[in-house]
Amino acid sequence: MRRTNSENQKIVYKVILKREIVQTRDGSTTIHLPEWNESYHSKHGAIQEAYHVFIKNGLSLFKSKPVSVLEIGFGTGLNCFITYFESKKNNQHIDYVGVEAYPVITEEAMQMNYPKEISGSDAAIFTIMHECSWEQKHALSDHFTLTKRKQFFQDINDELAFDLIYFDAFGFRVQPELWSETIFENMFKALKPNGVLVTYACRSSIKNAMLSAGFSVEKLPGAPGKREMLRATKAF
């Protein structure tokens, strides 16, 4: 039986790709995949990109009320980590679900310098986020719960479950199948009415896939080093 391109990429990612820890321009670290010339975060700054895309243009829309978040690409845990401290700062209840097909091992995650670089953060919480079990909900505080799911993005089948999606998959250049109309149809179904999806990417084919899935889409100024990003809304 012939494998699909998607299946082949899954095998390549699992068996061949090496991972290197590198520093980005704002001083924060990320993981770089040299075979793909692809990183988990922007080389211009991992932390500043995360705050700009997912907090400023995503979570801030839901201030002062409980919010359920789905992250597409749990990765190093950076987006979850900063969202935890936003919940603490704003006294906001957040139910966070992070999906990842190939989890970062704890030893790699502990080499990330986010607790040092983010003022007022807690290294113990970052460790717990990576050491807690998968497929179970964990209460990390009175205001924040975390569920990590080991799952391919194509297999997500939640319906009307989330207020906000952090879409942080690897870039279109290396994994175009993760930015398809089918994927965004799944995202559309997973969101509640008036739910929002934010991503660092801004490519015409991605915007068109979002529109075909039913989203209203807007371009916003991108994080430092990137001109634009996309925000999609399930408008009802």
Side-chain angles (χ1 to χ4, degrees):
M1 182 181 294
R2 296 183 63 184
R3 295 190 180 99
T4 65
N5 288 337
S6 176
E7 288 170 335
N8 282 332
Q9 282 196 310
K10 291 172 186 176
I11 292 169
V12 167
Y13 182 77
K14 184 175 182 180
V15 177
I16 298 175
L17 292 187
K18 297 178 182 179
R19 300 196 282 203
E20 301 174 343
I21 296 171
V22 299
Q23 188 175 72
T24 65
R25 291 180 188 171
D26 69 356
S28 57
T29 50
T30 189
I31 294 175
H32 181 66
L33 309 176
E35 285 91 343
W36 281 1
N37 190 27
E38 180 79 357
S39 296
Y40 279 58
H41 309 96
S42 170
K43 64 182 181 182
H44 300 284
I47 288 175
Q48 66 181 7
E49 178 188 52
Y51 271 104
H52 178 87
V53 175
F54 302 112
I55 304 303
K56 177 181 177 181
N57 289 298
L59 186 63
S60 67
L61 303 177
F62 298 89
K63 278 187 176 180
S64 303
K65 63 179 180 179
V67 60
S68 53
V69 178
L70 171 65
E71 180 182 14
I72 303 301
F74 185 78
T76 66
L78 172 57
N79 297 331
C80 182
F81 192 50
I82 63 174
T83 301
Y84 171 87
F85 286 101
E86 289 297 306
S87 77
K88 185 176 180 181
K89 181 174 70 176
N90 298 318
N91 200 32
Q92 181 181 27
H93 288 271
I94 296 179
D95 183 24
Y96 198 100
V97 175
V99 175
E100 180 62 58
Y102 297 104
V104 172
I105 62 175
T106 302
E107 290 78 6
E108 285 180 310
M110 293 305 98
Q111 295 180 61
M112 299 294 107
N113 66 356
Y114 309 141
K116 177 182 176 182
E117 293 293 317
I118 299 173
S119 177
S121 65
D122 184 345
I125 287 294
F126 188 65
T127 300
I128 291 169
M129 286 178 174
H130 284 280
E131 292 186 342
C132 67
S133 57
W134 292 73
E135 317 304 335
Q136 293 182 308
K137 181 177 287 191
H138 300 273
L140 303 190
S141 74
D142 291 339
H143 295 91
F144 193 95
T145 59
L146 169 63
T147 305
K148 299 186 297 183
R149 294 183 351 203
K150 190 175 180 181
Q151 184 179 31
F152 290 119
F153 304 154
Q154 295 91 329
D155 298 332
I156 292 171
N157 59 3
D158 303 87
E159 293 190 15
L160 302 174
F162 301 100
D163 301 292
L164 176 62
I165 294 176
Y166 295 169
F167 201 89
D168 202 15
F170 283 131
F172 183 92
R173 177 180 60 84
V174 296
Q175 288 196 306
E177 74 278 6
L178 300 184
W179 302 85
S180 67
E181 181 180 337
T182 299
I183 290 290
F184 287 115
E185 286 174 349
N186 290 347
M187 300 299 101
F188 190 87
K189 292 176 183 176
L191 283 171
K192 300 174 185 178
N194 299 310
V196 172
L197 179 153
V198 284
T199 184
Y200 65 89
C202 189
R203 181 186 283 250
S204 294
S205 60
I206 295 173
K207 180 181 178 182
N208 290 337
M210 291 175 172
L211 291 169
S212 296
F215 285 105
S216 299
V217 185
E218 57 186 321
K219 291 183 179 180
L220 300 171
K226 296 185 179 181
R227 189 176 66 175
E228 295 174 315
M229 57 166 283
L230 293 174
R231 183 164 65 197
T233 303
K234 183 177 181 176
F236 277 86

